[in-house]
Amino acid sequence: MWGKSLRALGALLYFAFAVMQPAFAVQPDEVMKDPAKETRARELSRELRCMVCQNQSIDDSEAPLARDLRLLVRERIAAGDSNRQVIDFLVARYGEYVLLKPRFEGQTLLLWLLTPLALGGGAFGLWWQYRRRSRLAENGRDERGALTPEEEARLQKLLASQASETME
Amino acid sequence: MIAEAGHYALVLALALALIQSTVPMIGARLRDPALMNVARSTALAQLLFVGLSFGALIALNVMSDFSVANVYENSHSMKPLIYKITGVWGNHEGSMLLWVSILALFGGLVAVFGNNLPLSLRANALGVQGWISTAFYLFILLTSNPFLRLANPPLEGRDLNPVLQDPGLAVHPPMLYLGYVGFSISFSFAIAALIEGRIDAAWARWVRPWTLMAWMFLTLGIAMGSYWAYYELGWGGWWFWDPVENASLMPWLAGTALLHSAVVMEKRNALKVWTVLLAILTFSLSLLGTFLVRSGVLTSVHAFATDPTRGVFILLILCVFIGGSLSLYAWRASSLKQGGLFAPISREGALVLNNLLLTTACATVFIGTLYPLGLEVLTGERISVGAPFFNLTFAPLFVPLLLALPFGPLLAWKRGDIAGAAQRLYAAGIVALVSIAVLWAWVRGGSAFAPLAIGLALFVIVGALTDIAERSMLFRMPLSISLRRARGLPRASWGTMFAHVGVGVALIGIVCETTWNTELISTLKPGDVAKVAGYELKLDDISQRQGPNFGEMLAHFTVSEGGKVIGTMTPSKRSFTTRAMSTTEAALMSRGVSQLYISLGDTAASGAIAVRIYHKPMVLLIWFGPLLMAFGGLLSLSDRRLRVGAPKPAKASRSLQPAE
């Protein structure tokens, strides 16, 4: 029953099942024995820049430098470093440039905060605008409906002349 | 002779652009129809002369006239004809000439099809186009002349960068430029509206088709570029958050926001000031993209030019146009009258939310792309901003966007009923929840990300279909009536449906590819078999071949599944002698919408060859999505309302709304 209804969803699910195998992006000889440590190494590799490449992480790159860095990451993990220590070690050695995700600190404050600020600021601006306009509309002074003093005077005159006409 | 003629035609085009940028605008000021009509003839004449100039450069490349520096540097007599033609825009000078040709093309189109525009609006808009063309003609003639001769013509050229010798070059840059430059029309119209101090719903109706056209081309251009990178670069990646890609993504995000806000302006006469700002920003981002790519300020595959004088010139153009237009906006925007009011829960409200999220996404890409540059200039400190940053900041913005997307078209204008819309989205919600549960069970407690994201994508797809089903009263009326109602729906509604389905389809592709991609890296000798994702790939043999301007090593694979042979794949490596460069030509085999992908590495002394084999599930959906989006755009563009350019009677359109 289950199997059939699942297959009805088509190729999507087929692939979900068929492809559930570990993938190796790195060379077979680099892989660590402990799968948990290897997973950590892969996750870290994806956040580190291959400094001689255009825009690749060391996990993607075939450059010799990327391989050296991958091995270095695994060496540090094998030595019992935490993820944080590995990152600190690499930054101390190669500078902030090695991180594809810059750290949250003084000089990257604007980089990290712009998205929430833009979203929050935009939402606040919209709310403020909405409130202002609906209050204006309530007071019957919607910008579109508002009359200039001259128009007001003309209207009064028209009303007055109409009133005098009906009186006649 | 041809080179000189091409050069001269370009100078004439500059002279015409100077006339176009002054005379019609003076005419608009003096209300003189004769002066205003000058815009039309200069725009058409400009198109003619730029066309001649561009044709001249193509002719020089086809004839392999190596006395022209540009041809010598980028061509080779043995290069296949198609790359002699496409190579014209595979370099800095030629691609700038393509840029102005497309600019002139759009100017010409406005001149031809703009007959229903008010004369002064057309004159002012074409005048602004004239300013843009003047700036770029000057840029080409002063810093990037493609027609320069060499004193001692060499016998043979230096050939085109091998990575660019691909059919992708025939399509990707022209599409991208049609998108980038197409947004200049909405920009010019926005500036014209600010100059006149008058803007109304009709303005939005005139601008929308141009925006839609530019957006379609940009969508296709980006998708095409992504597919090209996927098969040519040999890493199997399709989006790298490379600054050059970001440069094209920013105008796309802003342009998508512009399309949606223009709808509000056209239908409800609201959001005028915002729409004008978006039109300015979208083209400004296109200019920024041109600057980033053309000035060589970024070092990446696409940046061929590294001459600082060019960079400074484009930066100047950038500052004048962006600074000027924003100042004009600040000065005049308050003179534009505000439009109708609406409740937060309404179609307008949904489109405002769309705009908020898309512009925030755009701002995120902007800061992520430019921050490292700015920081380096200011402090000398170098940082990298790559995929992990964007995954963390950009991607989450799409969750609320996609959740809200199906609600938008179901809400009424002015004041909507969110409970009613939610009720109509029951089916979509159920499909999404069931698929999340099923997928989660299938991955056996693995990461929840993929099932949730696919559920969201299905919600978007079914939600988009729901809108059409509701409006054609599917399942509530006999099928024949429903079909008739569906046919009677405006094409724009079908366009919306296809575009929104495309978003969901692309998301499914992205999620499946990133989550369930299988990779095998190995060294194989002839006779070896590699097993990937249930497929067996046998390396039969390795052969050599001589191409027109390259030598090629091919590896022949036989692919079988469950012991049955299903085909062969032949990845290759090409070495181009003139530039001493090599390219990997990946072999692709599509199985449904999934692909097997082989690219070759180095050959060892033993005769074994390094190969990288990927199985990429559902990967083609990543590009089918944008195709659907562009098709939706095309349908909308063919809508009678936009074609005719006259408002439809309100009654007719109301009768097609679902009964509330």
Side-chain angles (χ1 to χ4, degrees), chain B residues 343-363:
Chain B
I345 305 285
S346 60
R347 181 89 64 94
E348 295 96 318
L351 290 166
V352 167
L353 180 65
N354 151 305
N355 270 232
L356 175 64
L357 291 166
L358 281 175
T359 38
T360 306
C362 185

Side-chain angles (χ1 to χ4, degrees), chain A residues 6 12-13 15 17 19-20 24-25 49 54-56 62 97 99-100 102 107 112 114-115 126 130 133 137, chain B residues 235 240-242 299-300 339 341 344 364 371 381-382 384 386 438-439 442 512 516 518-519 521 594 612 615:
Chain A
L6 293 180
L12 179 70
L13 297 174
F15 287 112
F17 184 66
V19 187
M20 286 307 293
F24 352 82
R49 180 185 192 129
Q54 296 296 358
N55 193 25
Q56 281 180 292
E62 284 178 77
Y97 190 59
L99 300 177
L100 278 172
Q107 61 175 5
W112 280 106
L114 183 85
T115 307
L126 285 171
Y130 173 71
R133 294 198 62 196
Chain B
W235 317 324
F240 306 96
W241 292 107
D242 186 270
T299 330
S300 101
L341 280 173
T364 305
Y371 206 84
E381 198 83 33
R382 292 185 80 194
S384 309
V438 166
L439 276 169
W442 206 296
C512 291
W516 295 306
T518 321
E519 184 181 25
I521 299 170
S594 305
R612 215 174 241 248
H615 179 256

